């Protein structure tokens, strides 16, 4: 039994035997490796293949960084950043930075943009703290993290000398290829390998996500255990009637065929905002190709009801919504009674904030359905490592099935290269001389 519940009753889709057969075939293709992109299916059995030894190696390296640094800067972009950021936000106290006693180092992120101000402010913010870095790039050649790493590496070497720097910098990259691999070998950095057959956006349960999370004090064993349970619950041997990932994949594809071209992932827990960002990459890069694909958007509620709510309720009727609902809050806060009741809120006295949030959620769901926005609901029992691990694998498996149902290769991202060529040409990178002339003439 999965810890996650899926409610598709308000999506308006009735799953037929034919739809089940297609989804079953798609799931079998993921398991047999006979579908498109079969070189990148290492994630399918990844959770159950992570053994005690791998976890122990990651935790041992994390302990070394924790002992040395108050701030660990995690450098990466896309799949080499979003998974760790999403889980870290979900598991952290929302006001961590104001808590005086820091049991765990603060994990900050860099290399996910090329902003000069971000870079300056990051270096400035850490100047009074001891620092270390984890540099993550599967290809080892991505420009954004490479620039950030050059700057942060120089800062670490300036502060601690080259020898100590080599104990404060850990690389996560390909086992053999790429500039980062060469650099790490030359400098003697401890290195973790990203398996060849796991693509960036499916890599959160490799050292790409697990190392920074272990540094931050997240229970990575429980995270992996949650994902492993979902791996079993969505195996090809599990019938579609019990396979939540297959059901979600079917429903979203049926809605897409019916003209619902945008899926909005929403949550009433602000801690899950970055789960939305991770999910957008997972689905956007996997499905948005060949002129097809649902556009993945995300909202945090109720905040965004006051910005996007009008559009969702009455704008173009091309939307459907998937809500991640959390059954149980960690803490209890109640609305108190007020003798004067000037704000008129005494009707809420004695209620928990989570009860009010739940009524908002149910009210919004019905309003949106009435407005022509079909609704899918994913319920987590609570926000903890096991549930988040299960959610990650649930979405990954559904993404693989969904991509095959859509008829695309969900495991490549040819479109990501287009901007790089232009950027290198504009920056006069050696080898881009012809492109340089052409592109500059267009400016
Ligand atoms: O999913 C993907 O493959 C991409 O989004 C990559 O994760 C992203 O481009 C970063 O690549 P790399 O890890 O090679 O630096």
């Amino acid at each position: 039994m999965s810890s996650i519940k899926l409610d598709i009753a308000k999506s308006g889709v009735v799953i037929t035997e034919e739809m089940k057969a297609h989804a079953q075939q798609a799931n079998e293709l993921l398991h047999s490796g006979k579908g498109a992109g079969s070189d990148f299916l290492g994630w399918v059995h990844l959770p159950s293949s992570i053994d005690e030894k791998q976890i122990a190696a990651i935790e041992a390296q994390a302990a070394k960084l924790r002992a040395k640094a108050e701030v660990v800067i995690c450098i990466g972009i896309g799949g080499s950043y979003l998974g760790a950021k999403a889980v870290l936000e979900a598991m952290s106290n929302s006001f961590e930075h104001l808590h005086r006693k820091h049991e765990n180092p603060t994990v900050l992120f860099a290399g996910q943009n090329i902003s000069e101000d971000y870079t300056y402010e990051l270096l400035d913010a850490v100047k009074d703290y001891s620092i270390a870095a984890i540099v993550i790039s599967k290809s080892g050649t991505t420009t954004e993290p490479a620039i950030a790493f050059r700057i942060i590496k120089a800062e670490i070497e300036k502060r601690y000398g080259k020898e100590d720097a080599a104990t404060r910098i850990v690389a996560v990259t390909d086992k053999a290829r790429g500039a980062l691999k060469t650099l790490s070998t030359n400098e003697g950095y401890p290195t973790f390998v990203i398996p060849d057959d796991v693509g960036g956006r499916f890599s959160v349960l490799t050292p790409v996500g697990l190392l920074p999370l272990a540094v931050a004090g997240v229970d990575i064993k429980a995270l992996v255990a949650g994902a492993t349970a979902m791996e079993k619950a969505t195996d090809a041997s599990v019938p579609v009637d019990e396979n939540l990932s297959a059901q979600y994949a079917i429903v979203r594809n049926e809605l897409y065929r019916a003209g619902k071209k945008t899926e909005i992932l929403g949550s009433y827990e602000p801690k899950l905002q970055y789960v939305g960002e991770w999910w957008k990459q997972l689905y956007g890069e996997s499905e948005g190709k060949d002129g097809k694909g649902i556009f993945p958007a995300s909202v945090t509620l109720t905040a965004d009801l006051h910005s996007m709510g009008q559009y969702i309720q009455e704008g173009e009727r091309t939307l459907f919504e998937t809500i991640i609902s959390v059954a149980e809050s960690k803490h209890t806060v109640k609305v108190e009674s007020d003798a004067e009741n000037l704000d008129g809120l005494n009707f809420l006295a004695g209620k928990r904030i989570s009860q009010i949030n739940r009524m908002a959620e149910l009210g919004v769901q019905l309003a949106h359905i009435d407005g022509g926005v079909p609704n899918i609901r994913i319920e987590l029992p609570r926000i903890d490592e096991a549930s988040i691990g299960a959610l990650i694998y649930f979405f990954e498996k559904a993404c693989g099935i969904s991509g095959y149902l859509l008829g695309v290769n969900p495991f490549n991202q040819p479109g990501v290269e287009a901007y790089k060529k232009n950027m290198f040409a504009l920056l006069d990178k050696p080898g881009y001389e012809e492109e340089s002339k052409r592109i500059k003439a267009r400016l």
Side-chain angles (χ1 to χ4, degrees), residues 94-150:
S94 306
F95 303 98
E96 191 73 46
H97 52 294
L98 290 181
H99 285 258
R100 276 167 195 277
K101 271 200 179 159
H102 288 284
E103 271 175 44
N104 300 305
T106 299
V107 172
L108 300 178
F109 292 89
Q112 80 281 36
N113 59 53
I114 328 176
S115 161
E116 189 161 353
D117 286 345
Y118 184 95
T119 310
Y120 177 90
E121 287 165 18
L122 173 69
L123 291 174
D124 186 54
V126 302
K127 70 178 184 309
D128 297 328
Y129 297 96
S130 54
I131 57 170
I134 304 172
V135 54
I136 307 172
S137 177
K138 184 168 187 213
S139 62
T141 55
T142 307
T143 309
E144 292 90 333
I147 295 170
F149 182 53
R150 181 180 275 216

Side-chain angles (χ1 to χ4, degrees), residues 240-291:
V240 169
D241 285 328
E242 292 162 36
N243 183 336
L244 303 187
S245 292
Q247 292 171 22
Y248 173 56
I250 292 172
V251 172
R252 60 197 300 286
N253 271 278
E254 287 307 311
L255 291 170
Y256 179 63
R257 283 194 195 110
K260 303 295 183 188
K261 308 265 185 215
T262 299
E263 177 176 10
I264 304 174
L265 187 76
S267 165
Y268 289 75
E269 290 297 338
K271 276 175 202 258
L272 298 183
Q273 185 185 342
Y274 266 86
V275 169
E277 299 301 322
W278 169 82
W279 171 89
K280 283 194 280 197
Q281 188 211 358
L282 182 65
Y283 280 80
E285 259 184 22
S286 299
E287 296 193 317
K289 54 196 69 160
D290 307 337

